[in-house]
Amino acid sequence: MTCVFLDIGFIPDDCESDLISVGDPDNSGTLEVLLKISEEEVKVDDLSFEWDKGIYESNSKFWKEILKAVENSFGFKRPELNAKKLGRAYVVLAGENDSDDEWVGFEVVSDESDGGEFSNEDGKFNGKYYVRYQEEFEGDFQRERVIVI
């Protein structure tokens, strides 16, 4: 069975780290929430959501609920991230849409060969959100990619 992991992170305006390591918010100076998406459910922290076909629709009620869980975990809400952007990030990273237009507003900063790390030299991405997509199949992680929104 394949599971998808979606790390949603925020780089604070005053972040001093030159290297962001997704999955290591303490050393990167970031905030992160991990979504685990399986065929039955989606888990965000201690919350579980029933899997919904709205996961493939960028502005669905499903992504609005996920965004609310992310905002609650971070303790704040910023206009740079909304349900439509979050849903679109998932759809694009999952390969569910081949349109080049879907990538507008996203910058790919890390792929499988980078191990979830990307440069934040001179605070280039401070004040921005990032999303890491990766699939796990039989203990192996694949299709890893990180984008900044």
Side-chain angles (χ1 to χ4, degrees):
M1 183 174 115
T2 300
C3 282
V4 172
F5 292 91
L6 206 65
D7 293 271
I8 301 167
F10 177 74
I11 305 169
D13 294 326
D14 60 353
C15 182
E16 295 179 2
S17 180
D18 287 337
L19 182 68
I20 305 299
S21 297
V22 182
D24 188 7
D26 292 336
N27 287 321
S28 295
T30 59
L31 301 171
E32 286 188 11
V33 172
L34 176 65
L35 277 67
K36 180 180 180 184
I37 303 167
S38 69
E39 294 174 1
E40 299 87 29
E41 66 182 353
V42 176
K43 288 189 173 196
V44 181
D45 291 334
D46 295 331
L47 302 173
S48 290
F49 298 87
E50 188 174 316
W51 194 93
D52 185 316
K53 68 179 182 176
I55 199 168
Y56 298 113
E57 300 166 9
S58 62
N59 201 22
S60 66
K61 180 181 176 190
F62 174 83
W63 287 111
K64 290 175 184 170
E65 291 176 9
I66 296 297
L67 178 64
K68 185 183 283 186
V70 169
E71 291 170 344
N72 287 340
S73 179
F74 288 172
F76 61 84
K77 177 180 180 177
R78 289 178 62 138
E80 294 89 347
L81 186 65
N82 58 49
K84 185 173 183 174
K85 279 184 186 175
L86 188 55
R88 194 166 56 93
Y90 175 79
V91 168
V92 169
L93 290 167
E96 296 296 328
N97 190 326
D98 294 330
S99 168
D100 288 339
D101 292 344
E102 286 296 315
W103 288 95
V104 172
F106 300 149
E107 182 176 344
V108 178
V109 292
S110 178
D111 60 26
E112 286 185 279
S113 65
D114 298 317
E117 294 183 337
F118 62 96
S119 174
N120 186 43
E121 196 169 323
D122 298 323
K124 178 179 180 180
F125 297 114
N126 285 6
K128 296 193 182 271
Y129 288 89
Y130 58 88
V131 177
R132 174 173 66 177
Y133 175 95
Q134 58 183 345
E135 296 176 359
E136 186 246 348
F137 181 72
E138 296 181 358
D140 292 325
F141 287 93
Q142 52 199 4
R143 295 191 62 205
E144 180 179 16
R145 185 176 274 177
V146 180
I147 59 172
V148 170
I149 300 176

